[in-house]
Amino acid sequence: MIAALKQGRTDIHGALRADDTDHFARALAQFGGMSMQESDRAFQVERAQTRLDATSTVLDVSHGATPARFLMAFAALANGTTTITGSARLRERSMADLAASLRAIGVANECLEREGCLPIAIHGTDCAQRDVRVRCDASSQFASALMLMLSFEDRAASIRIEGDAVSKPYLELTRRMLAEAGVAWSLREPGLYCREQGSIGCDRFDIEPDASSAGYFFALAAATRSKVIVRGIRRDSVQADLALLDPLVRMGCSIARHEDVISIEGAALRGVEADLADAPDCAPTLAALATLAVGPTTITGIGHLRDKESDRIAATCREAERLGAKAQSGPDWLRIEPAQHVREAVIQTYEDHRIAMAFSVIGAARPGIAIENPDVVTKSFPGWWQELDRFLACHGVATVGAPRTPSA
């Protein structure tokens, strides 16, 4: 989106190629005045006019909540009306807080089926009002979308976060990327971001490896008591899902961090307590590992997981129980008490990539684990199964076999 806000051409290298990024890139390319070229791990983005033209094509982002939220803000800067929709599950997930904030600064929009949800029509405007309030207790992406949108013009702006924002590190990640591109936002006081002078002027982005995907390899080391080295994530990275490393250390793993290398070595695991409010997507992975630990594991601060691709608290508990563990949950927490032995099971995925990958980690450590509908991983990690096969072969545990559906 930063590249699409800038006049001229921008090259993006080391890009994650997955359903979410591809749907977003192709949606951006539908705007009049935008072009997009894709290659294996790269995008070439070119904006040929200052004010883009909305497309008459309905932009369908499938399961992608991030693309939907960013497109809502991006469409506010185009001439005409843009309609955004997605899968049945995405149409259930609330976009109300972002829609309300856009309306408050003069961006007319209406939900076409159910209030607060996709499909939504965004009517582009000059957006003269640039001081906005937004609630982020459902998603920090609402504020990130507004920060990106308000970086388009070199004019003062402010964003006031109301309530207790979830996944706060992603706001810092957005702020840092904009700073690297030439636009400074300062945190004047808790919850108040102010735009400083500067225009987007970066012609190239080299994308840091995705810590969310790396987390499954950290978990594989923990589950199989082996060593994994992940390269390319800087020591000063603010990616939220690096928060998984702390509970893994407390579970018994050894971790070393260097300038752009993280190494982790697994060991016998013990249960822990972990607050994952800033990194909720790690919760299914940690809960899956808890089925291999000695003692219970309690994960808190994760209430917003109920409004993800699935109700991840409920899904995680059901699948942990399928493996033989005892699971309890509340509005914003879950607790796993492992069984003496992990049972063979076919794991249900609920159309959720993170449930599939989290529980396939257990299949690398215990035989008889299969994953129903394994293709859901294409949302964020299309090459997951090939990389898992490579891990198993490299670490000499290929006899367990990469988990798949029974028919695959």
Side-chain angles (χ1 to χ4, degrees), residues 112-385:
L112 303 179
E113 292 180 3
R114 189 170 68 170
E115 188 56 38
C117 297
L118 301 182
I120 189 168
I122 305 289
H123 305 288
T125 181
D126 288 335
C127 199
Q129 169 62 25
R130 294 174 61 80
D131 298 310
V132 60
R133 294 174 176 269
V134 63
R135 293 196 65 85
C136 291
D137 37 11
S139 175
S140 65
Q141 291 169 6
F142 297 154
S144 287
L146 293 167
M147 190 178 292
L148 291 163
M149 181 189 79
L150 292 169
S151 297
F152 175 59
E153 294 181 322
D154 189 4
R155 294 194 288 138
S158 69
I159 300 171
R160 169 71 72 177
I161 310 297
E162 297 185 327
D164 188 17
V166 299
S167 303
K168 293 186 187 77
Y170 287 103
L171 287 172
E172 176 60 14
L173 185 60
T174 305
R175 192 195 66 77
R176 279 202 192 187
M177 290 198 70
L178 284 167
E180 290 175 10
V183 179
W185 284 80
S186 62
L187 185 59
R188 294 276 179 87
E189 59 185 62
L192 177 62
Y193 291 87
C194 295
R195 191 195 192 289
E196 311 294 346
Q197 289 184 330
S199 299
I200 297 173
C202 186
D203 294 328
R204 174 183 172 122
F205 283 104
D206 292 288
I207 305 300
E208 187 177 62
D210 177 33
S212 300
S213 297
Y216 302 109
F217 296 98
F218 301 151
L220 281 167
T224 61
R225 303 188 189 184
S226 56
K227 185 174 183 178
V228 166
I229 296 173
V230 173
R231 303 183 189 278
I233 300 178
R234 300 193 305 262
R235 184 189 289 272
D236 65 348
S237 174
V238 293
Q239 290 193 67
D241 284 355
L242 292 173
L244 179 62
L245 294 173
D246 175 65
L248 290 182
V249 168
R250 291 186 286 114
M251 290 183 95
C253 299
S254 300
I255 292 174
R257 294 196 67 173
H258 306 287
E259 187 57 35
D260 63 350
V261 174
I262 300 172
S263 65
I264 176 168
E265 191 163 358
L269 300 178
R270 54 183 176 268
V272 295
E273 294 185 0
D275 182 344
L276 291 180
D278 285 343
D281 288 343
C282 298
T285 307
L286 189 60
L289 286 175
T291 66
L292 302 174
V294 174
T297 292
T298 302
I299 304 171
T300 59
I302 55 173
H304 43 300
L305 280 186
R306 296 194 182 278
D307 190 36
K308 294 281 189 173
E309 285 82 346
S310 67
D311 176 342
R312 282 189 186 149
I313 293 178
T316 297
C317 287
R318 279 196 290 268
E319 299 317 303
E321 289 178 334
R322 205 181 299 276
L323 295 176
K326 294 181 180 179
Q328 298 174 289
S329 65
D332 66 347
W333 59 273
L334 64 82
R335 178 181 170 89
I336 304 296
E337 294 187 37
Q340 190 170 0
H341 300 288
V342 172
R343 292 198 300 238
E344 295 185 3
V346 177
I347 299 296
Q348 307 303 301
T349 58
Y350 312 89
E351 295 293 327
D352 193 328
H353 56 136
R354 301 218 179 274
I355 299 297
M357 289 187 282
F359 283 90
S360 65
V361 167
I362 307 308
R366 299 289 186 271
I369 308 297
I371 305 295
E372 194 66 51
N373 192 13
D375 289 344
V376 296
V377 301
T378 61
K379 185 177 191 297
S380 64
F381 199 160
W384 166 247
W385 298 113

